[in-house]
Structure formats: structure tokens, C-alpha cells
Amino acid sequence: MPSIAVTGSASGIGAAIAARLARDGAEVIGIDLRDATVIADLSTPEGRLAAIDGVRQACAGRLDALVACAGLGPHVTDHAAIASVNYFGAQELLVGLRRDLAAAETASAVVISSNSTTMPGAESPLVEACLEGDETIVRQMAATLTGSQVYAGAKLALTQWLRRTAPTAEWAGAGIRLNAVAAGPVRTPLLEGGLSHAIYGPAIRNFPVPTGGYGDADDIAAVVAFLLSGETRYVCGSVWFIDGGTDALVRGAKY
């Protein structure tokens, strides 16, 4: 039975992923603020260390897969927390659990990114600040930006970190595949929070989705399960857009 850790497992996409993997026969180690195997706050360095220690104890030092799903939406008023959870809460867990993934010999990890990373405004100084790893500077910078800028910037930084890291000897060379899912609007509590926001609500409703409507958390879970499976052993460093065709509509000339 494979051991798979899932952050943000108590609700939304994370809960759907955890349920899907459990149905597929995995031992799921959930990480969240509540209702999880490991209770930890990924917005703080101390909480991330607690999460790493908790997962390590639960998997006995051998982890077959990790899904970094926990995140805060752009409507959250604490913009610094958005950056801390969405970038550092994922990147530091991946780095911290790398040795446990390597112990599995053939392991895989998936991060939940966003199609907002390819939209105007995602590129900002916040991206490079995240990649440089100074959380104090990132949090200070986030306080001066809008929630959408911080959300997209943190997700873009995480995706760029993954793309740079995936092909290295420490990851691909050690038998660990890193991939990302760039999700579009999906019916979750996070999306509902955005829809109820005075500014972001109308913007989300006007967001073009060629297939019509919003996705379901199970749509993302199905792709994550596939990326973690042995059927995708040759997929590494890729970003899969699961957004009803929005990215293709907006950036049809790029791939």
C-alpha cells in the first residue's frame, strides 16, 4: 500500500484528492489545520517543520508520493499569509520530505498551481523574491500588493521552482518525478470565497471557460491520481492545465 501525503486534505480539491487516492488503495497522510492525520499550520516555518516531522513519523521514512495542495485564495485579506502558504508551504514541504520520497526509489509529487500564472500581472518582483527564499521580504512585499497579484505571483514562483528543480540529479536523478496541475476555477470553498468578494466575484464570473461552467474538485483529483501513477513514469517537470480550455483560449499561440 503506497503512502501518499496530501496537504490541504480537509476540504476542497485536497479532500477530493485524498478521497480518490484512498479509493485507489493508498494510505493517505492528510495535512491540514483540522480533520487530518497531521495537524499543522503551513503559513509558518514552525508549522511546516511540524508537518514534515508528522509525515515522516506516519510514513516511517518512506513516502511514495506527495501532493502539495493547501492554498489560500486572492480574497484572503492577509496577503502575506497567501504568499507563505501558497509558495513556502508547498516548496519547503517538498524539500523537507525529499529524502523520504527518495527512499521509495520511484516516487512522485504534484503541486496544485493555477492558470492565473499565465495571466497578465502574474510576473512581479514577488516571484523572484520567493525563489530567493527570503520569506520576510516576501511577506513585506505581499502587504503592498493586491490579493490577486500575490496569489498569481506565489503560484508562478512555485511553478518556476518546480520546473527548475524537476530535472535535477536530486529529484529526477533520484527517481522522484515533479509535476504541476494548473487549475482553473473549481467549485470549492476557496472559489466560493472569491465569488462572494465585491471585486473578485465579478472578475471570476467574467472569466472565460470555453467548456462552460466551473470544474469539480474530482476533475483535478483524477488528473493528480494519473500523474502519480506508474502510467506517467515518463512525465517529469510538466504543467498540466485543467481549466476548461481557458489557457488555450487566452494563449493559443503559446505552449
Side-chain angles (χ1 to χ4, degrees):
M1 179 183 293
S3 294
I4 305 178
V6 180
T7 71
S9 62
S11 66
I13 293 174
I17 292 171
R20 169 61 187 261
L21 296 175
R23 288 198 303 272
D24 290 348
E27 177 185 358
V28 177
I29 304 167
I31 304 130
D32 214 315
L33 293 170
R34 59 177 176 78
D35 302 329
T37 312
V38 177
I39 305 299
D41 182 358
L42 300 183
S43 70
T44 69
E46 297 78 14
R48 291 167 218 144
L49 288 175
I52 292 166
D53 289 341
V55 171
R56 183 163 290 143
Q57 291 180 28
C59 73
R62 183 187 185 280
L63 188 64
D64 294 282
L66 169 62
V67 182
C69 183
L72 299 177
H75 60 283
V76 172
T77 56
D78 186 349
H79 294 177
I82 299 173
S84 287
V85 174
N86 292 11
Y87 180 76
F88 294 98
Q91 188 266 347
E92 289 188 9
L93 253 68
L94 283 160
V95 172
L97 291 168
R98 193 204 69 83
R99 79 180 197 200
D100 306 271
L101 291 164
E105 296 183 2
T106 55
S108 182
V110 174
V111 304
I112 305 303
S113 184
S114 167
N115 66 352
S116 67
T117 57
T118 61
M119 301 298 165
E123 289 281 3
S124 76
L126 184 77
V127 175
E128 194 57 39
C130 285
L131 292 169
E132 289 176 357
D134 191 330
E135 189 172 2
T136 299
I137 295 297
V138 169
R139 289 178 62 87
Q140 292 172 352
M141 190 177 295
T144 70
L145 301 172
T146 67
S148 61
Q149 289 173 321
V150 177
Y151 177 83
K155 290 290 189 181
L156 178 56
L158 181 61
T159 304
Q160 289 188 2
W161 176 85
L162 180 143
R163 291 275 291 165
R164 297 176 185 182
T165 302
T168 63
E170 291 78 11
W171 292 85
I176 309 167
R177 295 184 298 109
L178 289 177
N179 291 291
V181 166
V186 175
R187 283 285 183 187
T188 62
L190 186 152
L191 179 66
E192 294 300 330
L195 288 170
S196 65
H197 191 275
I199 296 174
Y200 297 128
I204 294 170
R205 291 185 180 89
N206 290 327
F207 209 62
V209 181
T211 57
Y214 302 134
D216 294 323
D218 287 340
D219 297 326
I220 308 301
V223 176
V224 170
F226 179 57
L227 287 171
L228 295 180
S229 74
E231 295 187 41
T232 55
R233 66 178 185 83
Y234 205 46
V235 179
C236 181
S238 295
V239 181
W240 290 44
F241 284 85
I242 316 299
D243 65 353
T246 299
D247 183 68
L249 177 67
V250 175
R251 300 192 314 131
K254 298 180 180 180
Y255 60 91

